[in-house]
C-alpha cells in the first residue's frame, strides 16, 4: 500500500501533531505581549535559545516545542547570513514556535524567508504533494468554539492556519478550510535551493478561511515552524519570521 495516500499533507498529519503532547502535563509557555505599532522578530537572534535553553527558560520567553523533529540552527555559509531554522525529515512531525498575544488587526502582516533543497524520492512511495516544512499560525476569539487545549500539544487556540509550499505550481494561492483548521498554499512549484521572501496578510487570510468570524475580536496566539512526517528525505530552512503592523499610511483593517 502507498502509505502517502493516507494523508493530504495537512489534515490527519496536523491532527497527529496536535495530539503529541505526551502523557505528562507541561506548563504552557508564557505569551509574549506585543507593543502596538512595533514589529516582532519571532525567532531571530533567539533561535539557538529556543532550541537549546532549559525548558523553564524557554517557556518564560514564550517558546515551545512539540515532538522530536530534526530542527537545528545551521552555522554554514549556505544560510547566506540568515539566522535560519533548518528542518530535516525524516524524522518529522513536530514544531518549534513562539506563543504570543496580540490582536490580529494590530499585527496582520506575517513575513518570512524560506527555501527547499530538492527532495530525495523514497522507493515505492509517491512523493508528498506538499513540502514537509510549513508554518502554523494559531488564532482565538471572535467565534463560539472552545480553545483546542485538552488534546493539543500546541498553545491554546480556537483556529489554526497551515501555510504550505506545494509541489504543483497550479496550487499557488489555494485555500481550504476544515472546521477550525485551514490550509493555504503560500508558494507552489519545484524547489531549486533558492531563498524566497514571502509576506502574508493574516487578516485577509483569516477572512478567507473563516468569513463568519468577527475579525476585530481575533487574536494571534502563536506562530510556529512545523514538520510533517514523511519517508522522503527533505531539507528546508526558514528565517526572518516576523509580525508587523499596518503601515502608518494604511487606512486600517476593519470588517
Amino acid at each position: 500500500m502507498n502509505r502517502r495516500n493516507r494523508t493530504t499533507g495537512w489534515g490527519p498529519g496536523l491532527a497527529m501533531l496536535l495530539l503529541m503532547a505526551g502523557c505528562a502535563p507541561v506548563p504552557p509557555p508564557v505569551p509574549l505581549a506585543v507593543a502596538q505599532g512595533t514589529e516582532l522578530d519571532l525567532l531571530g537572534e533567539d533561535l539557538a535559545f529556543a532550541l537549546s535553553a532549559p525548558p523553564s527558560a524557554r517557556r518564560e520567553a514564550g517558546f515551545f516545542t512539540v515532538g522530536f523533529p530534526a530542527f537545528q540552527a545551521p552555522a554554514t555559509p549556505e544560510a547566506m547570513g540568515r539566522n535560519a531554522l533548518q528542518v530535516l525529515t525524516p524524522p518529522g512531525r513536530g514544531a518549534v514556535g513562539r506563543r504570543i498575544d496580540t490582536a490580529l488587526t494590530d499585527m496582520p502582516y506575517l513575513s518570512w524567508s524560506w527555501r527547499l533543497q530538492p527532495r530525495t524520492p523514497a522507493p515505492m512511495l509517491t512523493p508528498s504533494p506538499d513540502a514537509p516544512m510549513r508554518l502554523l499560525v494559531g488564532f482565538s476569539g471572535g467565534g463560539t468554539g472552545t480553545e483546542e487545549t485538552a488534546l493539543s500539544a500546541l498553545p491554546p487556540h480556537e483556529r489554526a492556519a497551515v501555510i504550505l509550499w506545494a509541489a504543483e505550481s497550479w496550487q499557488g494561492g489555494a485555500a481550504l478550510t476544515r472546521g477550525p483548521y485551514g490550509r493555504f498554499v503560500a508558494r507552489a512549484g519545484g524547489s531549486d535551493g533558492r531563498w524566497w521572501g514571502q509576506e502574508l496578510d493574516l487578516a485577509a487570510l483569516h477572512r478567507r478561511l473563516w468569513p463568519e468570524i468577527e475579525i476585530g475580536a481575533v487574536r494571534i496566539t502563536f506562530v510556529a515552524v512545523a514538520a510533517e512526517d514523511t519517508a522522503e528525505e527533505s531539507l528546508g530552512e526558514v528565517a526572518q519570521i516576523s509580525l508587523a503592523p499596518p503601515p502608518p499610511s494604511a487606512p486600517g483593517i476593519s470588517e
Side-chain angles (χ1 to χ4, degrees):
M1 176 184 294
N2 182 340
R3 71 182 184 91
R4 294 304 306 179
N5 288 338
R6 61 186 172 87
T7 176
T8 63
W10 75 286
L14 176 60
M16 285 298 297
L17 174 60
L18 299 175
L19 293 168
M20 288 180 60
C23 297
V26 177
V30 177
L32 180 67
V34 181
Q36 188 170 354
T38 62
E39 184 171 337
L40 175 63
D41 183 352
L42 292 170
L43 291 175
E45 298 302 319
D46 296 321
L47 178 56
F49 177 88
L51 294 173
S52 60
S56 60
R58 284 186 289 164
R59 286 195 298 271
E60 286 298 317
F63 295 110
F64 64 90
T65 58
V66 179
F68 304 96
F71 291 134
Q72 61 185 28
T76 63
E78 289 76 14
M80 299 175 63
R82 294 171 172 84
N83 199 25
L85 178 69
Q86 192 175 74
V87 184
L88 300 169
T89 63
R93 192 161 290 155
V96 57
R98 199 166 195 179
R99 182 176 178 183
I100 60 177
D101 180 21
T102 183
L104 173 57
T105 53
D106 287 345
M107 301 285 282
Y109 293 111
L110 176 68
S111 61
W112 71 97
S113 296
W114 58 359
R115 69 171 178 170
L116 291 171
Q117 299 295 343
R119 284 184 279 178
T120 302
M124 307 299 291
L125 294 176
T126 302
S128 168
D130 301 322
M133 174 184 69
R134 66 275 316 273
L135 300 180
L136 303 177
V137 182
F139 305 99
S140 66
T144 58
T146 57
E147 288 190 334
E148 300 288 336
T149 55
L151 297 178
S152 176
L154 295 170
H157 61 284
E158 294 178 21
R159 298 168 296 281
V162 186
I163 302 169
L164 299 166
W165 183 330
E168 300 294 337
S169 58
W170 61 268
Q171 293 189 52
L176 178 66
T177 305
R178 289 183 180 172
Y181 297 104
R183 174 187 190 272
F184 177 72
V185 178
R187 186 155 203 89
S191 58
D192 57 6
R194 295 173 57 193
W195 282 99
W196 296 94
Q198 304 263 187
E199 185 175 80
L200 181 60
D201 184 338
L202 291 175
L205 177 63
H206 194 284
R207 285 194 189 95
R208 186 176 174 188
L209 294 172
W210 301 284
E212 73 283 3
I213 300 296
E214 180 187 352
I215 200 73
V218 178
R219 303 189 71 80
I220 302 173
T221 62
F222 70 86
V223 177
V225 179
E228 179 57 270
D229 189 22
T230 176
E232 306 162 86
E233 293 183 4
S234 72
L235 170 60
E237 289 173 89
V238 186
Q240 300 168 315
I241 307 172
S242 66
L243 283 171
S249 59
I253 300 173
S254 60
E255 281 289 345

